[in-house]
Amino acid sequence: MDWIQKLKKYNEKKEEGRGRLSESEIRTEETEQFSKIYNECKGPVKTTHQSYNSIPRFYYKLPAEDEVLLQKLREESRAVFLQRRSRELLDNDELQNLWFLLDKHHTPPLVGEDQMINYEDFLKVAEEAGPKCKPFFTATVFSKLLQIDPYGRISIMQFFNYVMRKVWLHQTRIGLSLYDVAGQGYLKESDLENYILELIPTLPQLDGLEKSFYSFYVCTAVRKFFFFLDPMRTGKIKIQDILACSFLDDLLELRDEDLPKDAQDSNWFSAPSALRVYGQYLNLDKDHNGMLSKEELSRYGTGTLTDVFLERVFQECLTYDGEMDYKTYLDFVLALENRKEPQALQYVFKLLDVQSRGYLNVFALNFFFRAIQEQMKVHGQEPVSFADVKDEIFDMVKPMDPLKITLQDLINSGQGETVTSILIDLNGFWTYENREVLVAEANSEEPQEQEV
């Protein structure tokens, strides 16, 4: 008799004697009987296969904060491991030797000034280059770099640049991993701050920075990484995400002593850029208390952001006694200066979603555009009809739902910067309304080609 049949039989007996027992007694008896019947019927315990005993340990619990020796041991073992990985990388002498071998075994004829190499000569270089170079000399790498060449060759320069880039990525990953205190493949804000602070002396373009400004520079640099790579505000970013984005390239570009001025101006991490952002913050801080009130922030940019939008900024963003600190201000600046990027649109969308519904409806659009209409009246302009603006916005975005605009709709449309400008900034709306005139004026200012 299986255990299900036994339970059925027990239930039949239980129904006969239900009137004699209380509910609590019945529940206790049911539990006891079930355990008894189940243990009788489940049979002998199956023996564990012998191979299970040889499974290697794959989980190691991180040491607690009070386990100082274990923490120290873990840090030292990670440092030794990273040092070993660093020694496995090609150094400058080995890279020079690799270039010499590639040049020696190049496969004629030349294509312009670019030397080429076929697969047979490629393998000859692999034999002479040494074990450290072996991972680069594979059929997969060769096929990736293979272009339209009648002799089936690849460019020596492209291959060497590929090797250089790989070595640089591994070196940078090891360098970042040294600051990964948790050893889990990500950096917290304090970890990245330490990395950038110790990087400053190696960047010639930052030689002119005063040491008193270092903390503000580090804060300015770190915020860009976290604003774009940690949009969910978890307080940590993966090292592989840092390597995959272009921000580290921009930062390390400051090693170039002859970096052009226009490149410095467009680089968020340059000294002129950091001083510009911090200088703007100081200029807005009229009472010199180190924080910005809503009234002080209203003078940001052209001073045409609407009061309704600024009110939402102070409702949703982290403030201290109703005032904004420099770190929160940096998020604000990064959002408004990069409104073509999804992370910036996410920041602004949260402010526009005044009902916290996850989408913008006609009410939300009207809520913000009324402030634009009020500003137009103040400046003596004839207010534009909201109905016309609403229709234009929906035509630009083309949302999946004709009555709702989601963040994804805004991103997919490629019109996020224009839509947000229309709703939060009088100057942005004026630029949109007069776009045809502005384009015509710009074209008329271009130098005309002389007729021959």
Side-chain angles (χ1 to χ4, degrees):
M1 184 184 296
D2 62 17
W3 67 279
I4 296 178
Q5 291 174 330
K6 287 188 176 185
L7 281 175
K8 286 182 178 178
K9 190 172 181 181
Y10 166 72
N11 282 333
E12 292 172 0
K13 289 182 179 180
K14 181 185 70 174
E15 290 298 325
E16 294 174 2
R18 180 174 287 278
R20 296 181 288 99
L21 301 174
S22 66
E23 287 297 324
S24 61
E25 290 173 332
I26 291 172
R27 283 196 296 271
T28 303
E29 185 180 345
E30 285 177 348
T31 303
E32 292 175 353
Q33 285 297 324
F34 177 81
S35 300
K36 180 180 178 182
I37 293 171
Y38 178 75
N39 289 327
E40 288 176 356
C41 298
K42 71 177 181 177
V45 178
K46 293 182 180 179
T47 55
T48 304
H49 195 277
Q50 189 175 4
S51 64
Y52 291 177
N53 297 325
S54 62
I55 295 176
R57 184 176 179 182
F58 57 87
Y59 173 72
Y60 295 87
K61 185 180 179 182
L62 291 175
E65 291 184 3
D66 57 342
E67 296 175 322
V68 181
L69 285 177
L70 287 177
Q71 283 187 340
K72 202 68 180 172
L73 175 63
R74 189 166 186 274
E75 289 175 12
E76 289 297 324
S77 62
R78 285 190 68 250
V80 170
F81 168 75
L82 293 172
Q83 287 170 5
R84 187 174 72 247
R85 293 300 300 271
S86 182
R87 288 194 297 270
E88 292 171 359
L89 299 177
L90 296 172
D91 58 29
N92 288 335
D93 291 338
E94 289 164 329
L95 285 169
Q96 287 179 5
N97 181 57
L98 175 61
W99 176 256
F100 169 77
L101 291 173
L102 289 168
D103 180 61
K104 175 183 173 183
H105 292 282
H106 76 273
T107 310
L110 292 175
V111 177
E113 296 182 358
D114 200 2
Q115 291 181 322
M116 311 290 284
I117 189 169
N118 63 21
Y119 190 62
E120 185 180 349
D121 292 329
F122 184 74
L123 294 179
K124 289 179 183 177
V125 176
E127 292 176 4
E128 297 182 32
K132 282 189 181 182
C133 293
K134 188 176 180 181
F136 302 111
F137 287 88
T138 64
T140 302
V141 172
F142 189 88
S143 62
K144 282 181 180 178
L145 299 175
L146 192 61
Q147 298 178 347
I148 302 173
D149 179 75
Y151 304 97
R153 304 169 302 174
I154 63 172
S155 164
I156 285 178
M157 180 59 73
Q158 286 187 358
F159 173 71
F160 189 72
N161 286 338
Y162 169 82
V163 174
M164 291 276 287
R165 179 68 179 173
K166 280 286 188 180
V167 171
W168 179 84
L169 280 172
H170 286 301
Q171 286 175 338
T172 308
R173 183 174 190 124
I174 291 169
L176 288 168
S177 297
L178 290 171
Y179 293 84
D180 176 12
V181 176
Q184 297 294 292
Y186 60 79
L187 297 183
K188 294 183 291 184
E189 200 164 335
S190 57
D191 300 333
L192 191 56
E193 286 174 351
N194 291 332
Y195 172 77
I196 292 178
L197 184 62
E198 294 186 21
L199 192 65
I200 290 176
T202 69
L203 305 175
Q205 286 294 333
L206 300 181
D207 285 346
L209 284 183
E210 295 183 7
K211 288 193 175 181
S212 59
F213 184 67
Y214 277 13
S215 61
F216 295 102
Y217 175 82
V218 169
C219 180
T220 305
V222 168
R223 279 328 297 162
K224 181 158 188 176
F225 282 95
F226 274 84
F227 182 84
F228 287 101
L229 302 182
D230 182 30
M232 302 308 294
R233 303 296 180 260
T234 62
K236 58 187 180 183
I237 48 181
K238 292 180 180 178
I239 290 176
Q240 63 184 31
D241 289 343
I242 297 175
L243 293 171
C245 75
S246 63
F247 301 156
L248 206 56
D249 289 331
D250 294 340
L251 181 59
L252 297 178
E253 186 180 48
L254 304 180
R255 288 174 173 170
D256 184 359
E257 295 182 7
D258 302 318
L259 191 65
K261 186 178 184 304
D262 58 339
Q264 293 185 48
D265 292 339
S266 61
N267 189 331
W268 174 266
F269 303 101
S270 70
S273 178
L275 291 167
R276 171 185 64 84
V277 175
Y278 187 63
Q280 289 173 346
Y281 182 79
L282 293 180
N283 288 334
L284 293 173
D285 182 19
K286 288 300 181 184
D287 59 8
H288 305 295
N289 68 342
M291 310 278 276
L292 298 182
S293 65
K294 187 174 70 172
E295 183 182 351
E296 288 172 331
L297 187 63
S298 68
R299 294 183 295 104
Y300 172 81
T302 56
T304 52
L305 292 172
T306 65
D307 289 339
V308 171
F309 175 69
L310 291 170
E311 184 66 37
R312 287 291 294 150
V313 171
F314 279 80
Q315 286 175 356
E316 293 292 333
C317 300
L318 179 64
T319 57
Y320 302 88
D321 294 328
E323 295 200 317
M324 177 185 290
D325 70 349
Y326 184 54
K327 190 180 291 187
T328 306
Y329 173 76
L330 287 171
D331 285 345
F332 177 81
V333 172
L334 286 165
L336 295 192
E337 289 188 356
N338 300 275
R339 272 178 283 170
K340 291 181 180 179
E341 302 298 327
Q343 298 89 338
L345 286 175
Q346 178 181 334
Y347 177 99
V348 179
F349 186 89
K350 183 180 179 181
L351 303 177
L352 296 177
D353 184 14
V354 68
Q355 295 173 299
S356 300
R357 293 185 173 182
Y359 60 83
L360 305 181
N361 53 17
V362 175
F363 172 83
L365 299 182
N366 188 33
F367 180 80
F368 285 95
F369 192 71
R370 278 184 301 180
I372 296 289
Q373 291 174 318
E374 291 298 322
Q375 281 192 337
M376 294 181 75
K377 290 178 183 177
V378 171
H379 288 83
Q381 301 174 15
E382 185 67 27
V384 176
S385 167
F386 167 70
D388 294 338
V389 172
K390 175 205 65 173
D391 292 340
E392 288 188 45
I393 289 176
F394 275 92
D395 286 343
M396 279 191 287
V397 178
K398 295 180 177 58
M400 295 291 290
D401 187 321
L403 299 176
K404 301 173 182 176
I405 297 175
T406 65
L407 173 60
Q408 197 59 49
D409 290 330
L410 209 56
I411 293 170
N412 293 343
S413 70
Q415 299 294 327
E417 182 178 22
T418 302
V419 172
T420 54
S421 296
I422 290 172
L423 295 173
I424 68 175
D425 183 3
L426 176 62
N427 188 55
F429 174 73
W430 185 89
T431 301
Y432 171 75
E433 278 291 283
N434 296 275
R435 59 194 180 281
E436 294 177 359
V437 176
L438 294 173
V439 169
E441 290 179 354
N443 290 336
S444 66
E445 291 176 2
E446 291 180 0
Q448 299 295 321
E449 293 184 4
Q450 295 182 355
E451 294 184 4
V452 179

